[in-house]
């Protein structure tokens, strides 16, 4: 009898608040993401007709309503705003007992900031975060918002800055200053980044300072430095960059990232004394590149939301900002576990003749028969796995320990394989087991764990034309020789890969342990996932990612009762909020006794 402690409630107990699903339903891997970035020109004292006027500057609720309308129109998943008033934390956060409430940190339910209005308008399922900066004539690190509907210092109007909102569970939120210390500008303009469960890239927004190329260039350098390896391997960044794509200040982004190019201007001013408006393309969306082609499937500018009228006193603006929102849709590549490119996790297997098989998934936990043969010989005794794009071409590659070498085999796009690259490691024992777990260190590139010599090691992957590994990190000093390890995907839906390990022998024989992935790339103390998985009863196990598309990680296992069947175990959650195995379904009637390895 296997563990079947399933709970209909949300996966919330025992998890950090930032990782809890809002609506209580599993969050599936997202096939595409629509991002909206907009400088809403949310705060100024300049009146209509004056230089620097912000359209509808006194209508904070109206601006928030317009953002919410755009979200509905374009079905946006992510919103990035600049020159927006808000707070550092939750709008309705409660002050710490005994602490003097700060209006900036704890605004309360009567806040009148753009952030507070927007959070209410977007509704359940959205998370909103803000990072404060200051004006061009600063008196402090933060500038409190000012106009007739946003109360000033000491009240509840919030501070001027940048904002990010995501539809889903947000985690790993970070804010960092982009302006170098001691800058002559005296400005403070932050970037804010976050991750969204079910999407691999980190999402960032920022605002570069206008009119000072030296500072802009320094800001771009600082942003790239702060994002590290994820800059080119797993980032989506948008905002007001105060420069056209050809400006040398944006070289770090335009040459190293994939621009969501629209060919249209995104900012406009029309002074009362000018015969025609002046236009610029200042607002951009960038994503980490593929080695070929683009990730962006759609890029557009909404001029209807921008003020297109002449700035004359006594007249009404036609839009809500001097900038237009930029909306881009990009595809995730690849869906974890998908070798064939159809968005459904697949299973690879080594048979008794040393051939490598591929069983395409159907999206239900079942597999397509007959299988495809993707390796004709030489796979006997190999440990195989697949979870991540090692080459940057948008397809999931195969990682295997063949003989004593750890190799990456590039996917041709349909699940068939090209010749392996130069081995990532050599001299491994013939019994070493390799697991492609996904992106453990959240830099955008896939990583692997390898078990040998009774220890477990993590190797951070480096994506490229010649994939590489970083230095090894030892997880466990002993006890792994009797464990069969497999990558289960993000089983607890906190945005980090997890691990399953089956105990062979001893008093814990047949128990399956769940190792939750932690922010530092290590794993938590295990909890029991299932029992009865002895090697005699279930000879082979393999994490199935989310094979049935319900947002929960699953498992495949072979039978040892002589029938040679393959079972699919639907992932579940117990009453404590921990992932566990669920009910099994037969998805292979016979022939699996001839399989020596699953991945």
């Amino acid at each position: 009898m296997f563990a079947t402690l399933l709970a209909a409630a949300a996966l919330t107990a025992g998890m950090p608040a930032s990782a809890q699903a809002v609506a209580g339903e599993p969050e599936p891997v997202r096939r595409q993401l629509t991002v909206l970035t907009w400088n809403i020109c949310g705060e100024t004292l300049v009146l209509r007709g004056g230089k620097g006027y912000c359209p509808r500057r006194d209508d904070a609720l109206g601006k928030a309503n317009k953002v919410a309308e755009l979200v509905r129109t374009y079905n946006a998943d992510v919103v990035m705003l600049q020159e927006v008033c808000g707070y550092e934390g939750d709008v309705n956060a409660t002050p710490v007992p005994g602490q003097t409430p700060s209006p900036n940190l704890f605004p309360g339910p009567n806040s009148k900031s753009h952030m507070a209005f927007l959070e209410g308008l977007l509704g359940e399922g959205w998370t909103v975060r803000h990072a404060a900066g200051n004006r061009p004539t600063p008196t402090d690190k933060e500038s409190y918002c000012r106009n007739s509907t946003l109360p000033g210092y000491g009240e509840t109007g919030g501070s001027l800055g940048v904002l990010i909102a995501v539809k889903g569970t947000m985690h790993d939120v970070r804010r960092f200053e982009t302006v170098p210390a001691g800058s002559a500008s005296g400005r403070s303009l932050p970037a804010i980044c976050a991750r969204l469960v079910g999407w691999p890239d980190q999402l960032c927004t920022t605002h570069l300072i206008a009119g000072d190329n030296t500072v802009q260039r320094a800001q771009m350098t600082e942003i790239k430095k702060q994002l590290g390896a994820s800059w080119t391997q797993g980032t989506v960044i948008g905002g007001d960059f105060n420069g056209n794509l050809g400006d040398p200040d944006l070289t770090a982004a335009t040459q190293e990232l994939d621009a969501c190019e629209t060919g249209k201007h995104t900012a406009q001013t029309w002074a009362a004394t000018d015969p025609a408006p002046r236009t610029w393309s200042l607002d951009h969306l960038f994503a980490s590149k593929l080695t070929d082609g683009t990730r962006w499937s759609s890029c557009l500018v909404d001029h209807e939301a921008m003020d297109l009228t002449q700035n004359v006193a006594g007249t009404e603006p036609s839009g809500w900002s001097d900038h237009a929102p930029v909306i881009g849709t990009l595809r995730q590549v690849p869906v974890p576990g998908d070798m064939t490119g159809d968005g459904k996790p697949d299973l690879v297997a080594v048979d008794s003749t040393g051939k490598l098989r591929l069983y395409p998934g159907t999206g239900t936990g079942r597999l397509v028969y007959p299988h495809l043969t993707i390796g004709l010989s030489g796979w006997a005794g190999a440990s195989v796995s697949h979870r991540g794009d090692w080459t940057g071409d948008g397809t999931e590659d195969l990682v295997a320990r063949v003989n004593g070498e750890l190799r990456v085999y590039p996917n041709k796009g349909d699940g068939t394989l090209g010749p392996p690259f130069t081995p990532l490691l050599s001299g491994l024992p013939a019994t070493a087991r390799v697991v492609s777990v996904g992106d453990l260190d959240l830099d955008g590139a896939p990583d692997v764990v390898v078990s040998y010599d009774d220890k477990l090691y993590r190797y951070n992957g480096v994506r490229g034309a010649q994939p590489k590994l970083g230095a090894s990190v030892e997880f466990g000093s002993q006890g792994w020789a009797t464990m069969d390890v497999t990558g289960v995907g993000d089983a607890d839906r906190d945005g980090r890969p997890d691990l399953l390990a089956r105990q062979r022998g001893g008093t814990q024989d047949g128990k399956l342990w769940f190792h939750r992935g932690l922010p530092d790339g290590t794993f938590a103390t295990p909890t029991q996932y299932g029992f009865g998985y002895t090697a005699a009863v279930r000879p082979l196990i393999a994490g199935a990612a989310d094979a049935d598309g319900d947002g929960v990680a699953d498992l495949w296992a072979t039978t040892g009762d002589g029938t040679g069947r393959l079972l699919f175990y639907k992932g579940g959650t117990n009453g404590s909020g921990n992932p566990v195995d669920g009910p099994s379904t037969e998805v292979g009637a016979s022939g699996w006794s001839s399989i020596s390895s699953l991945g």
Side-chain angles (χ1 to χ4, degrees), residues 330-537:
L330 71 165
R331 60 190 179 96
Q332 177 185 154
V333 286
V335 169
D338 174 27
M339 292 283 289
T340 60
D342 63 358
K344 302 166 185 174
D346 309 312
L347 179 66
V348 294
V350 177
D351 68 21
S352 57
T353 66
K355 293 184 175 66
L356 183 65
R357 301 179 179 184
L358 173 64
Y359 292 85
T362 63
T364 64
R366 296 184 177 277
L367 303 171
V368 175
Y369 295 94
H371 65 267
L372 306 174
T373 299
I374 58 174
L376 294 176
S377 63
W379 293 90
S383 173
V384 295
S385 66
H386 59 105
R387 194 79 83 246
D389 175 14
W390 286 81
T391 62
D393 65 355
T395 60
E396 185 164 88
D397 304 307
L398 185 88
V399 180
R401 192 269 306 141
V402 179
N403 299 321
E405 296 180 344
L406 184 62
R407 305 173 181 174
V408 172
Y409 292 78
N411 188 346
K412 293 181 179 180
D414 58 359
T416 58
L417 304 176
F421 294 101
T422 302
L424 301 177
L425 290 174
S426 299
L428 290 172
T431 55
R433 291 183 291 275
V434 57
V435 176
S436 296
V437 289
D439 183 12
L440 283 174
D441 59 353
L442 298 181
D443 67 350
D447 307 312
V448 295
V449 297
V450 184
S451 173
Y452 64 94
D453 292 345
D454 205 27
K455 299 178 182 179
L456 187 69
Y457 300 89
R458 182 190 86 211
Y459 293 87
N460 293 337
V462 179
R463 178 185 288 129
Q466 172 59 61
K468 299 177 182 178
L469 292 181
S472 64
V473 178
E474 184 178 319
F475 281 153
S477 59
Q478 61 181 1
W480 292 95
T482 57
M483 291 287 187
D484 293 325
V485 182
T486 185
V488 71
D490 181 14
D492 58 0
R493 295 181 289 127
D494 68 351
R496 301 179 184 88
D498 306 309
L499 199 66
L500 284 182
R502 185 258 300 275
Q503 176 72 49
R504 284 184 285 107
T507 59
Q508 306 293 318
D509 187 26
K511 287 189 176 179
L512 197 57
W513 300 99
F514 171 70
H515 298 255
R516 189 189 306 277
L518 297 176
D520 63 358
T522 62
F523 295 101
T525 302
T527 59
Q528 187 171 313
Y529 185 89
F531 61 89
Y533 286 89
T534 63
V537 175

Side-chain angles (χ1 to χ4, degrees), residues 198-222:
W199 189 260
D201 308 277
Q202 69 175 325
L203 309 165
C204 301
T205 186
T206 192
H207 190 175
L208 300 192
I209 292 173
D212 190 329
N213 300 90
T214 301
V215 175
Q216 281 185 317
R217 197 171 298 117
Q219 285 183 275
M220 286 301 303
T221 299
E222 183 63 20

Side-chain angles (χ1 to χ4, degrees), residues 20-355:
Q20 294 178 7
V22 176
E25 293 297 325
E27 296 181 54
V29 172
R30 297 168 187 258
R31 297 296 306 276
Q32 66 176 31
L33 199 76
T34 297
V35 184
L36 183 153
T37 182
W38 192 16
N39 181 333
I40 67 171
C41 197
E43 188 266 13
T44 181
L45 295 180
V46 178
L47 299 176
R48 179 74 164 164
K51 182 179 180 180
Y53 165 73
C54 278
R56 307 190 191 278
R57 66 184 184 87
D58 281 340
D59 191 354
L61 177 57
K63 291 206 179 201
N65 265 313
K66 187 61 182 178
V67 174
E69 176 189 316
L70 291 166
V71 168
R72 293 189 296 269
T73 298
Y74 295 105
N75 196 26
D77 304 286
V78 179
V79 178
M80 301 174 176
L81 302 180
Q82 304 84 48
E83 294 188 21
V84 58
C85 298
Y87 311 95
E88 311 300 291
D90 290 312
V91 169
N92 292 313
T94 302
V96 176
Q99 177 179 329
T100 302
S102 163
N104 186 42
L105 292 174
F106 304 108
N110 297 318
S111 164
K112 295 182 179 180
S113 73
H114 301 110
M115 177 181 176
F117 286 137
L118 183 61
E119 191 165 57
L121 291 166
L122 292 177
E124 187 177 16
W126 282 81
T127 309
V128 185
R129 290 292 182 268
H130 179 271
N134 62 15
R135 301 186 190 92
T137 54
T139 57
D140 200 350
K141 184 178 179 180
E142 297 178 2
S143 291
Y144 288 87
C145 291
R146 54 185 188 183
N147 67 37
S148 62
T149 63
L150 297 177
Y153 182 84
E155 298 182 40
T156 57
S159 297
L160 192 63
V162 294
L163 175 149
I164 188 166
V166 301
K167 185 178 183 181
T169 301
M170 181 187 290
H171 66 109
D172 291 296
V173 182
R174 61 185 295 240
R175 173 211 187 278
F176 57 87
E177 180 55 58
T178 67
V179 181
S183 169
S185 70
R187 297 293 304 278
S188 170
L189 279 176
I192 187 169
C193 300
R195 292 184 180 272
L196 174 61
V197 170
W199 189 260
D201 308 277
Q202 69 175 325
L203 309 165
C204 301
T205 186
T206 192
H207 190 175
L208 300 192
I209 292 173
D212 190 329
N213 300 90
T214 301
V215 175
Q216 281 185 317
R217 197 171 298 117
Q219 285 183 275
M220 286 301 303
T221 299
E222 183 63 20
I223 292 169
K224 180 180 174 181
K225 174 185 174 183
Q226 288 283 343
L227 297 185
S230 65
W231 171 254
T232 55
Q233 301 201 55
T235 290
V236 176
I237 184 169
D240 179 359
F241 290 83
N242 267 305
N244 299 315
L245 285 178
D247 286 0
D249 312 315
L250 303 187
T251 297
T254 55
Q255 291 188 357
E256 299 174 21
L257 302 179
D258 185 1
C260 190
E261 179 55 55
T262 66
K264 296 182 178 180
H265 67 277
T266 67
Q268 173 175 313
T269 62
W270 191 352
T273 56
D274 289 346
R278 292 190 293 168
T279 61
W280 304 269
S281 295
L282 307 179
D283 307 86
H284 308 289
L285 285 167
F286 299 101
S288 297
K289 284 184 176 180
L290 299 175
T291 54
D292 185 37
T294 179
R295 290 184 64 188
W296 298 102
S297 59
S298 172
C299 300
L300 59 92
V301 175
D302 188 333
H303 281 159
E304 184 273 335
M306 180 170 61
D307 179 23
L308 302 175
T309 64
Q310 195 167 14
N311 184 16
V312 177
T315 64
E316 287 295 317
S318 63
W320 290 89
S321 175
D322 55 348
H323 290 250
V326 178
I327 303 99
T329 298
L330 71 165
R331 60 190 179 96
Q332 177 185 154
V333 286
V335 169
D338 174 27
M339 292 283 289
T340 60
D342 63 358
K344 302 166 185 174
D346 309 312
L347 179 66
V348 294
V350 177
D351 68 21
S352 57
T353 66
K355 293 184 175 66

